[in-house]
Amino acid sequence: MNKLLVIGAGGQLGSELTKALVNTHGSDAVIATDFQESVKSKFAYCRFKTLDVLDKDAISNLIQAEKITQIYHLAAILSANGEKNPVQAWDINMKGLLNVLDLAKEFKLDKVFWPSSIAVFGPNSPKTNTPQDAFKNPTTVYGISKLAGEHWCEYYYTTYGVDVRSLRFPGLIGYKSLPGGGTTDYAVDIYHKAINEEPFTCFLQEDTALPMMYMEDAVQATLQLMAAPSSDIQIRTSYNLSGMSFSPQEIAERIRSHYPEFSIQYAPDFRQKIADSWPSSINDDSARNDWGWKASFGLTEMTAEILTKLPSYIHNL
Ligand code: AKB
């Protein structure tokens, strides 16, 4: 039987991916963990334990006690927060991953999932339709740690046969959980302001287009990648993944078709420089060809779904 350990389950992706894993594998097969005990209430539907990804012994004990066969390692410091404390971000992002990879090797786990990011690209990467193998010179500590992490994943696969799989996520947008400390966070916050009929101040310029993805597509991509036969996974660093691409001005316009009075103003801060170093759109041909990836949501569909579902979701919290 598969037994899945989700590390960092309380975060933006983990909150929704854990539910999907339970739906796929059953509640007995999934253990949600997070270093914050306070997120426990999100996991009434499966078991929850506190776990610090830097505590290798604690992870090792859990793997043995629970006979874990797969790890979904989601804990990370994102791009904007990473710049506030670069050394701490490096420690959490790199040591956490190395702990997981090393234990996957030691206990011969079946599979590991680890998210990378479009942040691996940098100012000298092609801006549009950025290819899988494009030149990469990340300028954030988050991007540097993701790029190094991708190579560690490939190293553990080629050297030790650890079946680790990874996706370069764009900015993820969902209505069930808030992101924490990323450069693409504005595209979640903006919907909350819209339904409250409040004006929104964006920390990026109006024309800064970035690659984005609706959470449902991100969850589907993860499930699909992890279900694919190992022989289909040709890329052992991390796969480019594309959903949609838009600027603050474009998302605001789309929101106005639901809330005509919605107003946005722009006050770019330090995150503008990070956004300027990233691609505006991504080529994901390798994911499409190798394991059949195709996104379902564009900006119009996502906006309609979020603005319809967010008010009652918040009301029922
Ligand atoms: C961030 O903004 O840091 C993340 C990412 C693009 O990986 N959402």
Side-chain angles (χ1 to χ4, degrees), residues 76-140:
I77 304 290
L78 298 184
S79 57
N81 275 356
E83 294 309 289
K84 293 177 191 159
N85 195 339
V87 175
Q88 185 199 43
W90 177 260
D91 274 355
I92 292 174
N93 292 359
M94 291 316 308
K95 285 188 186 158
L97 175 62
L98 286 172
N99 283 345
V100 168
L101 290 175
D102 220 36
L103 292 167
K105 170 192 149 205
E106 183 179 339
F107 293 107
K108 299 189 173 34
L109 300 191
D110 292 343
K111 288 175 203 172
V112 174
F113 176 75
W114 175 75
S116 183
S117 164
I118 55 145
V120 295
F121 297 109
N124 298 112
S125 307
K127 266 272 176 238
T128 55
N129 202 27
T130 308
Q132 175 70 39
D133 294 323
F135 177 79
K136 300 172 189 70
N137 61 331
T139 51
T140 60

Side-chain angles (χ1 to χ4, degrees), residues 141-286:
V141 69
Y142 173 67
I144 297 169
S145 70
K146 287 295 185 189
L147 186 56
E150 288 189 3
H151 289 290
W152 275 114
C153 288
E154 188 177 53
Y155 180 85
Y156 269 78
Y157 173 73
T158 51
T159 312
Y160 305 118
V162 173
D163 187 354
V164 49
R165 305 171 181 203
S166 176
L167 299 170
R168 284 178 190 147
F169 282 125
L172 299 184
I173 306 167
Y175 63 91
K176 294 183 185 161
S177 54
L178 293 170
T183 303
T184 57
D185 294 10
Y186 88 86
V188 177
D189 298 340
I190 196 169
Y191 288 115
H192 289 258
K193 286 283 191 285
I195 63 155
N196 290 327
E197 301 186 12
E198 290 171 15
F200 180 66
T201 303
C202 185
F203 58 71
L204 297 182
Q205 281 164 8
E206 59 185 34
D207 57 351
T208 305
L210 288 172
M212 303 280 190
M213 177 172 279
Y214 188 44
M215 187 59 81
E216 199 168 309
D217 271 337
V219 167
Q220 281 314 316
T222 308
L223 297 180
Q224 212 176 318
L225 176 77
M226 293 302 277
S230 181
S231 53
D232 286 359
I233 312 298
Q234 300 296 316
I235 292 173
R236 291 293 178 166
T237 49
S238 188
Y239 277 97
N240 270 13
L241 200 65
S242 175
M244 62 190 91
S245 178
F246 58 80
S247 65
Q249 189 176 37
E250 287 164 330
I251 190 173
E253 270 163 28
R254 218 53 61 93
I255 288 173
R256 265 189 222 109
S257 59
H258 301 260
Y259 290 87
E261 305 298 314
F262 178 68
S263 83
I264 182 166
Q265 54 186 11
Y266 302 93
D269 65 15
F270 73 100
R271 289 168 281 196
Q272 183 65 45
K273 195 171 158 212
I274 300 177
D276 286 343
S277 76
W278 289 350
S280 53
S281 62
I282 295 287
N283 180 303
D284 63 0
D285 285 351
S286 297

